[in-house]
Amino acid sequence: MKLNNILQAARLFLLALLIHSPFAQANTEAAPNKITYRVKPAYRDSLNMQVSFRYKSDQDGKLVLRYENDSWGDKNIFDCIGSFKVEPEPANISFMRDSSLIIIQTEPNQLTGISYTIKQDFNEPLKNYHRYRPIIQQEYFHLLGMRLFITPDELFGDDTDTAVVEIIWDTPAPGTIFHSSFGSGLHQELELTRVMLYASYFVGGDFRRYQYDFQGQQVNFLTRGNWQTFSDSAVFELLKQTIPTHVSFWKDRLDAPFSVTLLPTFEEWTETSKAYSIGGSGLTNSFISFASNNAGTGLDRLVWLYNHELLHKWIGNTIRNEAEEKQYWFSEGFTEYYAYKLMLKSKQLSLKEWVETVNRDMIVPYHNSSVNTVPNSALTLDKFWSDREYHKLPYQRGFMYALLLDQQLKQRSKGKKSLDHLMLELLQSAKNNPSLRFNHDVFKALLLKHLDARAIDDFEKHIVEGKLIALPKELPEGLYIQTEGNAPALKIKEQANTVKLTQHLAL
């Protein structure tokens, strides 16, 4: 082994010890800051949300507020701010879109009252690409925490620091409901990080709510509109089937009530134009989902979506990326791999359906992609949100790498271990050390522990440098590779023992 490889291996070994050390815990911090928001949902009368809070300026009379203007693929979110008032009247207010800041100049150490409204800034029918913008209509509202709350910049320190966030909501109008990532309480006092507040949702209006108890925690499903191709009860049953599989896989539990929303969007479905779209996001103790309310969106598409988004409770929200898009190959690609794996394990997909689906959605598109060999450093947030092929790349590349790695681990251990063991170990490390952030060194330390230095070379080659990932040379008995056009695809041999093959793939 070359000297630089020996040094790298030693460094990764020491990192592995640190990751798994019982002493690698976050330091105890001072009492968190606190803020109280009062929210009046004025969607029926004024098509806006009215929010107010009080906060003290610093010793120089400056109060710096944060509101993310460009984030999650959305731009110009400042356009959603309606009225903005400050009391006592300040000397100056500067809206700084480029830095997502609002700077108020007032008296030193002045307790300042802020009141503002948030409005919907588009008039066309709701489409999937509107999903992260404030949605405020006469019948209902749907907002992310990052779109509803303007926050004092000093309220949170780094991404592990917490603050006490008190939210007091006006009573909903008769015949309507209110719900959020934090439950249905109108007076909520929560200790949150900035990310936990941003990655939360708040809905109200003509939603329908369904609830059941899972291991002592309430699971909530909320939807609205009249669905064309499935019923509320079918989606609710899907949740009931999916949650136990995931909790069992992770050897974990729901540590708080969990909530899911499903919102209908409009995409045209005619003889000449057949468009549909589905999407979602894993949030704090919840996820949101959106689907075209037309013939193109069947329940089978929600099965995939709900497996993917539920996995983000663990991959993304517990095992957190250090540099977001630089680890999307993991947080989206490994999530994609495990969505299909758990669907096979839980019989939501048959073996035939699993092979057909991963060929159609992952393997063939990856090999046909025009960007499948760009280095990981070429994926920027702007490209991820604006270029469809770059957006798909981390899902596809991460899936292919997870498939390769899973097979290597099974072969090396003669079926005694799989990628599951590495994932469970990583989860436990993240739970033991909440300040741990997933990065390439953390992952390579695990590779070195479970495989050897050759696995690190493969990682550098395929993930960092972006070289094409071929299907594993040694496939489980019963599978073979067949070229379709310019891309390889998995096929099931006629004489395959499908029960044994399914068990191997789901291991």
Side-chain angles (χ1 to χ4, degrees):
M1 188 184 292
K2 294 181 180 179
L3 178 59
N4 62 337
N5 287 341
I6 294 173
L7 292 173
Q8 183 188 44
R11 179 168 61 85
L12 293 174
F13 176 72
L14 290 172
L15 178 60
L17 291 178
L18 177 61
I19 292 169
H20 299 98
S21 168
F23 302 105
Q25 303 289 329
N27 292 329
T28 302
E29 301 290 342
N33 293 332
K34 181 175 180 179
I35 191 168
T36 298
Y37 290 98
R38 296 181 181 276
V39 186
K40 178 181 180 181
Y43 61 102
R44 285 184 151 188
D45 302 323
S46 307
L47 291 175
N48 64 34
M49 308 293 288
Q50 299 172 7
V51 187
S52 63
F53 67 93
R54 290 155 65 86
Y55 209 79
K56 188 179 289 188
S57 63
D58 65 18
Q59 60 185 6
D60 298 318
K62 183 181 289 187
L63 177 55
V64 180
L65 306 178
R66 177 167 291 279
Y67 189 63
E68 303 299 337
N69 187 44
D70 296 337
S71 58
W72 288 26
D74 287 337
K75 297 187 181 298
N76 298 316
I77 297 297
F78 270 41
D79 290 347
C80 299
I81 301 175
S83 63
F84 187 89
K85 299 178 181 178
V86 180
E87 294 181 356
E89 186 173 346
N92 187 58
I93 305 176
S94 298
F95 291 85
M96 306 178 69
R97 289 173 173 252
D98 289 345
S99 56
S100 296
L101 297 178
I102 302 169
I103 299 179
I104 300 169
Q105 190 64 48
T106 185
E107 296 295 323
N109 301 310
Q110 173 72 59
L111 185 59
T112 306
I114 312 292
S115 60
Y116 60 93
T117 59
I118 298 296
K119 61 182 181 179
Q120 178 177 307
D121 69 336
F122 59 91
N123 294 317
E124 64 180 315
L126 179 65
K127 296 183 181 294
N128 194 276
Y129 55 75
H130 294 128
R131 63 188 182 274
Y132 300 137
R133 303 190 83 85
I135 301 168
I136 305 170
Q137 303 187 6
Q138 283 194 329
E139 298 83 12
Y140 74 101
F141 64 88
H142 184 291
L143 295 102
L144 294 175
M146 67 191 306
R147 304 297 189 233
L148 178 59
F149 296 114
I150 297 174
T151 60
D153 199 39
E154 70 163 28
L155 182 65
F156 303 97
D158 62 28
D159 66 353
T160 63
D161 288 338
T162 61
V164 174
V165 180
E166 183 181 26
I167 310 171
I168 302 171
W169 289 81
D170 272 14
T171 303
T176 68
I177 67 169
F178 164 79
H179 202 88
S180 77
S181 294
F182 311 112
S184 58
L186 296 177
H187 188 170
Q188 301 167 332
E189 188 164 319
L190 313 152
E191 187 167 341
L192 305 172
T193 63
R194 186 190 302 276
V195 171
M196 292 168 70
L197 177 63
Y198 277 8
S200 61
Y201 77 77
F202 300 85
V203 300
D206 63 354
F207 282 86
R208 301 181 294 276
R209 179 167 49 205
Y210 304 87
Q211 301 171 318
Y212 84 101
D213 181 89
F214 178 73
Q215 296 180 353
Q217 295 291 357
Q218 189 175 78
V219 176
N220 305 276
F221 171 62
L222 296 98
T223 190
R224 64 175 305 277
N226 297 310
W227 292 98
Q228 294 185 21
T229 60
F230 48 77
S231 64
D232 291 3
S233 61
V235 184
F236 191 43
E237 285 302 314
L238 169 60
L239 268 179
K240 287 183 176 181
Q241 295 167 10
T242 305
I243 289 174
T245 299
H246 288 234
V247 169
S248 175
F249 167 74
W250 290 107
K251 303 184 190 318
D252 200 15
R253 60 186 178 84
L254 296 182
D255 49 12
F258 197 84
S259 299
V260 176
T261 65
L262 175 61
L263 202 60
T265 62
F266 174 81
E267 275 77 29
E268 193 172 33
W269 189 271
T270 65
E271 288 298 321
T272 56
S273 175
K274 297 186 183 299
Y276 74 90
S277 180
I278 62 172
S281 284
L283 305 176
T284 305
N285 296 319
S286 60
F287 68 80
I288 54 174
S289 58
F290 303 80
S292 304
N293 193 8
N294 63 32
T297 305
L299 187 64
D300 60 321
R301 300 193 183 280
L302 289 184
V303 173
W304 161 76
L305 179 65
Y306 278 32
N307 274 274
H308 182 99
E309 297 305 337
L310 182 57
L311 275 164
H312 280 314
K313 171 174 169 44
W314 294 275
I315 307 175
N317 283 328
T318 304
I319 306 168
R320 301 191 63 84
N321 288 351
E322 180 181 82
E324 207 54 30
E325 74 278 11
K326 301 309 177 190
Q327 284 96 45
Y328 276 168
W329 62 266
F330 174 76
S331 60
E332 295 298 350
F334 275 45
T335 295
E336 198 76 325
Y337 181 73
Y338 272 97
Y340 293 119
K341 188 172 183 177
L342 293 181
M343 288 162 70
L344 180 64
K345 186 187 289 283
S346 65
K347 297 182 172 57
Q348 290 177 326
L349 284 178
S350 68
L351 176 62
K352 181 175 181 290
E353 290 169 333
W354 182 88
V355 169
E356 291 174 347
T357 304
V358 300
N359 281 333
R360 181 194 68 215
D361 294 346
M362 291 287 116
I363 298 171
V364 172
Y366 168 72
H367 282 87
N368 289 332
S369 170
S370 66
V371 299
N372 60 12
T373 57
V374 302
N376 192 58
S377 59
L379 181 67
T380 63
L381 277 177
D382 182 63
K383 286 181 177 178
F384 178 79
W385 289 110
S386 63
D387 186 297
R388 181 171 176 78
E389 284 204 282
Y390 274 95
H391 184 86
K392 291 291 186 182
L393 178 62
Y395 294 79
Q396 296 164 356
R397 178 179 285 171
F399 174 93
M400 293 296 297
Y401 181 61
L403 177 63
L404 174 66
L405 199 56
D406 204 6
Q407 287 305 113
Q408 289 177 345
L409 286 160
K410 289 173 184 177
Q411 289 163 10
R412 179 69 59 88
S413 67
K414 296 183 179 180
K416 294 179 181 178
K417 285 188 177 182
S418 69
L419 185 58
D420 298 4
H421 293 79
L422 187 150
M423 296 298 290
L424 290 171
E425 190 171 328
L426 184 56
L427 175 68
Q428 195 57 52
S429 297
K431 290 171 79 81
N432 289 342
N433 180 10
S435 65
L436 177 70
R437 291 296 175 264
F438 178 87
N439 59 30
H440 290 182
D441 280 348
V442 167
F443 192 72
K444 287 190 288 186
L446 287 170
L447 287 180
L448 192 63
K449 179 179 178 182
H450 288 272
L451 291 166
D452 55 32
R454 288 174 297 179
I456 295 175
D457 291 340
D458 284 346
F459 174 85
E460 294 288 343
K461 179 170 65 175
H462 294 309
I463 296 300
V464 178
E465 298 171 21
K467 292 199 168 42
L468 195 70
I469 305 171
L471 286 168
K473 293 180 181 179
E474 296 184 36
L475 290 170
E477 186 178 349
L479 283 182
Y480 69 99
I481 300 171
Q482 178 176 297
T483 301
E484 295 186 348
N486 297 320
L490 294 174
K491 297 293 178 181
I492 304 171
K493 295 178 181 178
E494 286 187 12
Q495 68 276 23
N497 182 329
T498 56
V499 173
K500 187 175 179 180
L501 179 55
T502 300
Q503 290 172 344
H504 179 90
L505 291 170
L507 175 65

